[in-house]
Amino acid sequence: MKQRYIYTLLAALIATACTEDIDLPLKSQGTRMLMVEGQITTDTTAHWVRLSYTSDYYETGENPVEGASVTVSDGTTSYVLTEDPQKEGLFKTAADFYGMPGKTYRLTITGVDSDEDGEDETYTAESTMPPFPVLDSIGVAVVHKFYTDVLQISYYSQEDPTPDDAYLYRASVNNFMVTDSLHEWSFTDDELFNGQRAEDEPVIYLDQEIKQYIVKDGDKIMLELSHIPYHYYQFLDDTLWEFYGSNPLSGNPANIRTNISGPRKAWGFFAAYSIDRKIKVLHLNSGQ
């Protein structure tokens, strides 16, 4: 089973070694590749798609795609995304847009020339939004685990008996999202608990020795539970393994899976998913 709960604890490794700077004359990769990051959720908000090109190793800064045409269709209506005038390569829906579970959303990107041959390319992706997750309630408590004090966030829910479901967990404290990057997220498939009841199941730990995670009595803790497509779960898992690497006994890393299709190789993921949230006030004296 490929299951991963990402506990946001700081792992410190102290080592000493002699180092020497070595300049490696890396060759240019020659051709660019389109990078796509986008999402449609059940939230009513300006959803976004971010487009960029890959660049050579020693290049710095972003390499955004400017002037592309980006649309999202639900099979009935096509929505045109507008490029953010303050952020090149970031395309947004209207602020009143929201996704509906059960619908398949198709992303279409035109006006892209990744190989710079003067010919426009078209790229597409599809994602079907899973049903709303059922988040009954959450539990919050500061406990001593992993040799430190952590804020433990758990949840109560009945998991759908349909196999190959996947879930993403994120948390905020007083309306501030504290798990705002991939290595802080917690996500899993349902292979070990398909159709079962989750009773006070821990999914996020926030190390109380890390400044941004420190909580106090009376803080409002929110757990965000997203029902994500299984292929998006695989993409997140692949990306994290690629970032952290594997142990010496593992094989060579495989290519990260993507759902972006086009005339040339592209990388990234366009995902549609549903969200539920629950908030609980932290009472340190009672532990809940």
Side-chain angles (χ1 to χ4, degrees):
M1 173 191 181
K2 298 182 68 177
Q3 177 177 356
R4 182 187 296 270
Y5 280 138
I6 305 304
Y7 301 135
T8 54
L9 302 175
L10 180 64
L13 174 64
I14 302 176
T16 58
C18 297
T19 61
E20 179 181 354
D21 292 335
I22 300 176
D23 293 328
L24 297 177
L26 300 178
K27 295 182 180 179
S28 171
Q29 67 176 11
T31 58
R32 302 180 300 177
M33 185 168 66
L34 179 66
M35 311 286 287
V36 180
E37 181 185 5
Q39 57 187 14
I40 297 296
T41 76
T42 48
D43 286 348
T44 301
T45 187
H47 299 274
W48 52 268
V49 173
R50 182 180 290 112
L51 305 179
S52 61
Y53 293 120
T54 58
S55 56
D56 289 335
Y57 183 81
Y58 287 122
E59 288 188 18
T60 59
E62 298 180 357
N63 195 7
V65 176
E66 302 176 51
S69 296
V70 181
T71 61
V72 171
S73 173
D74 62 6
T76 302
T77 305
S78 185
Y79 305 90
V80 177
L81 280 68
T82 304
E83 188 168 8
D84 189 329
Q86 306 299 320
K87 185 70 173 178
E88 295 175 345
L90 184 64
F91 299 80
K92 295 181 177 180
T93 69
D96 60 354
F97 183 88
Y98 59 91
M100 294 289 292
K103 286 191 174 184
T104 297
Y105 291 90
R106 180 177 178 86
L107 171 70
T108 302
I109 304 165
T110 60
V112 174
D113 184 15
S114 61
D115 59 1
E116 300 179 285
D117 65 351
E119 298 292 331
D120 283 351
E121 303 151 8
T122 298
Y123 293 86
T124 61
E126 286 189 353
S127 185
T128 300
M129 183 175 291
F132 274 109
V134 180
L135 184 56
D136 295 334
S137 60
I138 66 173
V140 295
V142 174
V143 299
H144 191 78
K145 282 189 177 181
F146 314 109
Y147 307 102
T148 187
D149 288 335
V150 298
L151 173 67
Q152 176 180 286
I153 306 176
S154 57
Y155 78 113
Y156 299 78
S157 176
Q158 175 61 51
E159 209 276 324
D160 192 289
T162 305
D164 295 329
D165 286 314
Y167 303 94
L168 168 63
Y169 309 88
R170 292 180 284 207
S172 70
V173 178
N174 296 326
N175 299 317
F176 176 76
M177 183 63 71
V178 293
T179 54
D180 59 356
S181 59
L182 175 58
H183 75 276
E184 297 173 310
W185 295 356
S186 172
F187 50 88
T188 183
D189 64 11
D190 68 346
E191 184 174 345
L192 291 183
F193 58 90
N194 180 44
Q196 298 181 19
R197 174 79 185 169
E199 294 285 349
D200 200 22
E201 179 67 29
V203 287
I204 290 180
Y205 296 97
L206 301 178
D207 189 345
Q208 293 304 284
E209 293 186 0
I210 300 178
K211 184 177 180 181
Q212 74 182 79
Y213 300 149
I214 295 175
V215 294
K216 62 184 182 302
D217 191 64
D219 281 348
K220 293 181 179 179
I221 313 300
M222 184 197 72
L223 178 65
E224 177 182 286
L225 170 60
S226 299
H227 192 179
I228 62 176
Y230 186 77
H231 293 304
Y232 184 46
Y233 157 74
Q234 292 179 311
F235 168 80
L236 296 177
D237 197 59
D238 288 350
T239 304
L240 210 59
W241 277 115
E242 194 80 10
F243 178 79
Y244 283 113
S246 55
N247 65 64
L249 299 180
S250 299
N252 293 329
N255 291 332
I256 297 174
R257 283 165 277 203
T258 176
N259 67 344
I260 311 300
S261 300
R264 302 186 69 252
K265 185 174 178 59
W267 184 85
F269 208 94
F270 170 69
Y273 54 89
S274 54
I275 301 175
D276 194 10
R277 300 177 178 89
K278 286 292 185 292
I279 297 176
K280 191 162 190 176
V281 176
L282 177 65
H283 297 297
L284 295 177
N285 293 334
S286 63
Q288 290 289 325

